[in-house]
Structure formats: C-alpha cells, structure tokens
Amino acid sequence: MQEIVEQTVAGLGYDLVEIERSAGGLLRITIDLPWSAPVIAADGDAEAAVPALPDQFVTVEDCEKVTRQLQFALEVDGVDYKRLEVSSPGIDRPLRHEQDFVRFAGSVIDLTLKAPLGAAAEGQVNVNRKKFRGTLERAESGGWQIVWSDEPAVKPGQKVSKKRVPAPLQALGFTLDELKDARLAPLVDFKGRGGSKSGQA
C-alpha cells in the first residue's frame, strides 16, 4: 500500500509526509508541497544563493485532488480501509528524511530519542532524558544537533533581574537513526511568522 500511495501522491506533484492507519479503518495521508534547497552560487557564496521557492501551503483543493486519485488507486489495488483522510502537515509537521532537516534548519523542534542518553550525557543533562525542545542546527561534524537552554520561560508581566545570569546553551548531536520522533514545535506567533524558517503553518 505504501508504494501505491507514494506513487500516486508523487504523480500529482506532492510530497508524501506520513501514512497512518487508525482504529476503525481510518487511513490518514499527510501531504506537502515539494521543496528544494537553495542553490549555492558557483563561487560558493551563500549570499548569492538562489533561494528556494517562497513558502506555499497545501490547500483544501490540493487535498481533494489527492483524495480523489487515491480513492481510485486504492480501489484498483484492493486496499481495505473504511475512510480516507488527506491533510496538510500542520504546525507540528513530522521530520522524517534528511531533506526535512535541511529544510527546517533553524526552526524550533521537538525531538524524542529511541533510547535515553545514558553514559553519553554530559554536564547538566539527565542521563534518562529522551525528549528535547530546541533549535535544529547543522553540527560542525556535518551531522545534526539540537541546541537549547533550560532557562524557565518568562511569564507575561514578570520582571527579570538584569543581574541574573542566563542558563547556558546546551547542544546534543544526533543521527536520524537515533530518533524515535522529530517534528516542528507547535509554536504560534500571533504577530505573524515573519522571518521564520519553518515555512509551515
């Protein structure tokens, strides 16, 4: 079934983000518009890079088009399901592939490891910790890391002493194989996303 869904979604010009089967025969398909990384200029000047296409979003019409085509393809293939639901990724979009991490570098993400840090934990990080929220960055090694501070959030109206020393930034390097789940943190900015790199509403 995965192959049929992937072929159908790609054939219509979309990226397949996720396939979920839920109780009661619900088949949930999440799609997104294709994305390509900015092209770096021949002299390696990142400033002269050709930017990726401006952020666009999956519409109701996109979902309807994919739904109609999938209903036909799944029927032909004899896939058993009761109800089909096609949707956009939403603000907590899952990150599954290397390209997702490239696309959303600089965004705040929620990350869950398959196993606790254990002996690899250094400093203030709890060795049993598996869940993290922080900024996704490219590590010096070429892999990925998440950077965060355990500074408590400032409540509205709360006064912060200028003498208070901020909590240090911490970083955790990871490979995609070590992840149980990674997704954009569902942060809502009512002033508009502005210069946000996450590109998904």
Side-chain angles (χ1 to χ4, degrees), residues 32-197:
D32 203 355
L33 297 177
W35 177 86
S36 58
V39 179
I40 304 297
D43 61 2
D45 184 3
E47 292 294 320
V50 177
L53 292 173
D55 290 326
Q56 297 173 316
F57 305 102
V58 171
T59 65
V60 172
E61 289 77 19
D62 294 323
C63 294
E64 287 174 350
K65 181 164 70 170
V66 173
T67 298
R68 283 193 299 272
Q69 195 63 35
L70 275 176
Q71 285 172 331
F72 175 75
L74 294 171
E75 185 178 337
V76 168
D77 205 50
V79 175
D80 184 38
Y81 68 95
K82 294 275 191 299
R83 189 163 59 94
L84 177 64
E85 182 181 289
V86 177
S87 64
S88 66
I91 61 174
D92 62 343
R93 181 197 204 282
L95 307 181
R96 298 270 187 258
H97 310 288
E98 179 73 16
Q99 182 171 297
D100 295 336
F101 287 83
V102 173
R103 177 179 180 179
F104 294 106
S107 300
V108 178
I109 67 166
D110 288 327
L111 179 148
T112 305
L113 299 172
K114 289 177 183 172
L117 291 172
E122 293 180 19
Q124 302 172 5
V125 182
N126 184 322
V127 295
N128 295 318
R129 187 169 176 181
K130 291 181 7 179
K131 294 188 175 190
F132 300 86
R133 172 174 284 187
T135 304
L136 174 65
E137 295 181 359
R138 182 63 87 172
E140 287 182 16
S141 64
W144 294 102
Q145 66 180 12
I146 185 170
V147 178
W148 77 94
S149 167
D150 287 324
E151 187 85 33
V154 177
K155 296 181 178 133
Q158 178 182 353
K159 291 185 179 178
V160 179
S161 168
K162 292 180 182 176
K163 296 179 182 177
R164 188 173 81 172
V165 178
L169 285 177
Q170 300 184 67
L172 171 72
F174 62 88
T175 64
L176 272 53
D177 290 340
E178 294 175 303
L179 299 182
K180 179 179 180 184
D181 186 59
R183 51 187 64 237
L184 294 177
L187 305 174
V188 178
D189 179 1
F190 292 104
K191 294 177 183 174
R193 293 186 81 102
S196 168
K197 293 183 183 179

Side-chain angles (χ1 to χ4, degrees), residues 1 19-23 25-28 79-82:
M1 177 195 71
I19 299 175
E20 293 177 89
R21 273 191 177 271
S22 302
L26 172 64
L27 182 59
R28 182 178 289 121
V79 175
D80 184 38
Y81 68 95
K82 294 275 191 299

